[in-house]
Structures are given as C-alpha cells and as structure tokens.
Amino acid sequence: MTASLEQLRRCHFAVDLGAARTRVFIKGEGVVVDEPSAAAINTRTGALIAVGTLAEQMTGRTPGYIRVVRPVKGGTVIDIDMAQRMLRHLLGDKVRRALRRKPRLRAAACTPHDADPLAQRATVETLVGIGARRVELVDTLIAAAVGCGLPVERPEASMILVCGAATTQIAVLSLGSIVTAERVPVGGNAIDHSVLSYLRHHHELMLPSQSVRPLHVALRGGDLSMTGTGTTEIHGRDVATGLARSVEVDTVGLRSAISIPLTGVLDGIGKVLRDCPPDLVADLADRGIMMVGGSALMPGLDQMIREATGMPVQVAERPDIASVTGLGAMLDGQIEPMTLNPLSA
C-alpha cells in the first residue's frame, strides 16, 4: 500500500477498476456504482453508445460498426481515454457535480499486487481525468482483506485469495503489511474458457461466453466437488450443423475441465506458503484461506481448493465487493493501525 490511513481518510471517493466490473464508493454514501467494465462505441463516429450492463449485453450481438471494448485488463487500465469516458457515464451528472464541489477532490484506487509504475500511472491519470486533484493507491490484497473483515493489523497470519476475472492474487498478511504474495495469470475468464472448450470438444456444442455464468448458477445444487453428481441442461449451437441443440452436462466432466487452470492457482498457493515464515504458516493451519473476488462465487471452487491444500477455506460474505468495501472502510476511518508503545524505563 502506497498510501497511509491518514491520507486515505482525506479522500472523498474510491474506485475499484476491475477487469470484469467497476465499483465506486463515495464517502458517506457507500457503493454507488457496480457495473461491468464495458463500453460500446460507434467506430464510424467515435460516439459512446452504452456503458456498463447494457454494453455487456451487446457483446456478440452488434452490427459491424459497433464495437464493445473493455478498457481494463487484469486490474490495469489499458485505454485511459475510454476508461475516463466510461467512468463519467457510470457516475452520472448528478454525482459528478457533487464531487466537483469538494475542495481539492481526492480519490483512492485499488492496484494489483506488484503493479508496475506504468500501470499505476494509468490508474492515476484515469482518475485525474474525471476531476481528482490527488490519487492515493492501495494494494488490492490489503483492501480486500480489510473488506472481508480479516484482522490484518494484528501480528497474526491472514491468508487471502483474490479471484479476479483475469488474475488470481494470493497473499499472507500480518501487521497491516504483505509478508509474501504471488499473482497468477489465471482467473475466472480462464475457467470460463475451459468450460466452453470442454463443451465444444466433448459435446460438440458452442455456447456464447455470457452463458457460462448462468451455467455456474445452475450447478450450484450439485457443485464441482469430488462427490458432486448433479447435471443440468445446456442450450447452444451444434458445431457441425449450426442448429440449436441441448445436452445434459454433468459435474464430473466440468471438474476435469476446470482442474487444468486451477493447477496454476494451486501452484501459486504452494509458492506463497513455501516463502512464508514457519510461525505464520502454523497460524494458517487453523485460520485457513479467505476467498474473495467475483470468481470466488463459483459453486464448488472453495471445496476443490480445500481438497487440494488440506486447509480450511472460507468464502467472504460479499466476496465480489470486498475490495471497494475495504477502501470505503479506510476512507470512513473504521480501520485503526495497531499501536506499539515503547517500553518505559
């Protein structure tokens, strides 16, 4: 974390620019924006047609001159101008006018662990472009840990797994800092792609990418654990004929498909534990792993990690908004650092 708690308390709003969703927290009001990080533009005129949910619904359903873009990839802004335009429309005129009235408007933002200076600069320029005079950056791991209620300020080990759309971040925290961390380029998008590939090769069925999330929900009753035996009917397009077709998909096949990208996440967990001091690893044997992020909601994923690591695994109460909630708690002054008083003579 590059910003102190005192600096964060002076901020007026916080932004979590994720690859899947963008969330904005305003001090005193809470989370006011929770929309997909997508924008639809007219390539002929350059005009912005839609942002957020409407733009995401247009994916794969637009004529040639309309393009749906995602200005954020892996938690890093890759198109500053489009990210600014998207944020302005998501906030709306009323909220932006209220923010502009603040003297020396300050903002806070999440950045992925070990983000390079160019990525940090892109985040800062994005928020400066919508009116912020100063931008404080916070490590996503610390913000998410605070948001899900982990005692990060105490001399005890807390392990967190941030399951994002493009990356998975793993860390062990103690005394308000990151002891050891790892960022794995495997996220919810990779898991979705594995599911689509499995259905294409084993059932000769093509699905639109937006159908994968409803598939996860449909399998929530018979999850992806080793004992899960549930099935669900999936509608898609036949690869050979191009006609609509339905197939029954079981959890055993989906588990085998998901296990391939999950291997990278398990390797990252093992590396973090190997680099962690033994005393902190002993704490984790009882505390286990806390999962946050939108992909943590996939049914059975926590059980698969529990079986592979032998450690307790919990999913936060609201894992999808843990990062922005943690930023909001810091802005509202709800987090106090542990004070170490010097010994008196």
Side-chain angles (χ1 to χ4, degrees):
M1 180 170 63
T2 58
S4 66
L5 288 175
E6 184 61 33
Q7 291 172 323
L8 289 172
R9 290 192 188 101
R10 299 173 186 168
C11 294
H12 301 97
F13 71 104
V15 178
D16 178 18
L17 282 168
R21 300 186 73 86
T22 294
R23 299 175 176 93
V24 180
F25 178 97
I26 294 183
K27 198 172 185 177
E29 297 185 26
V31 179
V32 297
V33 173
D34 185 0
E35 295 278 345
S37 302
I41 59 172
N42 187 326
T43 56
R44 296 173 180 171
T45 63
L48 195 63
I49 298 174
V51 296
T53 302
L54 182 57
E56 188 176 54
Q57 292 173 351
M58 292 182 179
T59 304
R61 298 181 173 91
T62 60
Y65 65 93
I66 296 178
R67 186 164 58 99
V68 178
V69 298
R70 293 186 175 273
V72 184
K73 183 178 181 180
T76 300
V77 178
I78 59 175
D79 188 339
I80 296 175
D81 178 64
M82 187 56 62
Q84 291 175 351
R85 296 172 68 182
M86 181 185 72
L87 269 177
R88 290 192 194 102
H89 282 78
L90 288 177
L91 287 171
D93 294 335
K94 182 179 180 181
V95 175
R96 284 191 291 123
R97 281 197 300 267
L99 289 176
R100 280 199 296 265
R101 297 192 193 103
K102 306 286 185 182
R104 292 193 58 82
L105 183 64
R106 290 173 176 250
C110 288
T111 56
H113 178 67
D114 285 344
D116 58 77
L118 286 177
Q120 295 180 359
R121 183 65 183 174
T123 302
V124 171
E125 288 188 7
T126 299
L127 297 184
V128 168
I130 63 171
R133 300 289 297 275
R134 183 181 175 91
V135 180
E136 310 290 353
L137 300 179
V138 181
D139 196 302
T140 301
L141 291 167
I142 295 180
V146 171
C148 62
L150 291 178
V152 294
E153 73 281 359
R154 301 195 59 80
E156 303 170 359
S158 299
M159 190 169 187
I160 189 166
L161 191 72
V162 182
C163 306
T167 61
T168 298
Q169 303 177 66
I170 311 141
V172 174
L173 302 97
S174 180
L175 283 175
S177 299
I178 297 173
V179 178
T180 178
E182 185 74 14
R183 185 161 56 149
V184 182
V186 175
N189 292 341
I191 294 176
D192 293 349
H193 180 72
S194 297
V195 173
L196 294 175
S197 298
Y198 170 80
L199 293 174
R200 182 183 179 93
H201 291 97
H202 291 80
H203 296 277
E204 297 183 351
L205 195 73
M206 292 184 64
L207 261 69
S209 58
Q210 294 182 1
S211 299
V212 180
R213 295 300 175 181
L215 174 60
H216 294 170
V217 176
L219 291 174
R220 192 174 295 277
D223 62 18
L224 303 177
S225 63
M226 191 68 75
T227 58
T229 58
T231 61
T232 186
E233 187 178 11
I234 304 300
H235 305 281
R237 189 181 72 181
D238 190 277
V239 174
T241 65
L243 301 177
R245 187 164 65 90
S246 301
V247 297
E248 288 286 335
V249 180
D250 60 350
T251 57
V252 177
L254 287 178
R255 181 187 173 89
S256 64
I258 290 174
S259 63
I260 297 175
L262 188 62
T263 302
V265 176
L266 297 177
D267 290 343
I269 293 175
K271 186 177 186 305
V272 168
L273 292 175
R274 287 193 299 271
D275 296 341
C276 189
D279 291 339
L280 294 181
V281 175
D283 291 345
L284 295 175
D286 297 327
R287 291 178 170 271
I289 305 172
M290 178 67 75
M291 292 179 60
V292 300
S295 299
L297 293 169
M298 192 181 76
L301 183 60
D302 56 336
Q303 179 66 21
M304 294 176 72
I305 295 176
R306 186 181 299 114
E307 293 170 358
T309 62
M311 297 174 61
V313 179
Q314 302 178 31
V315 180
E317 185 177 353
R318 289 295 308 274
D320 51 338
I321 62 170
S323 297
V324 73
T325 303
L327 279 178
M330 296 178 192
L331 264 62
D332 290 338
Q334 299 176 12
I335 306 300
E336 293 291 341
M338 183 177 179
T339 57
L340 301 176
N341 296 323
L343 296 176
S344 58

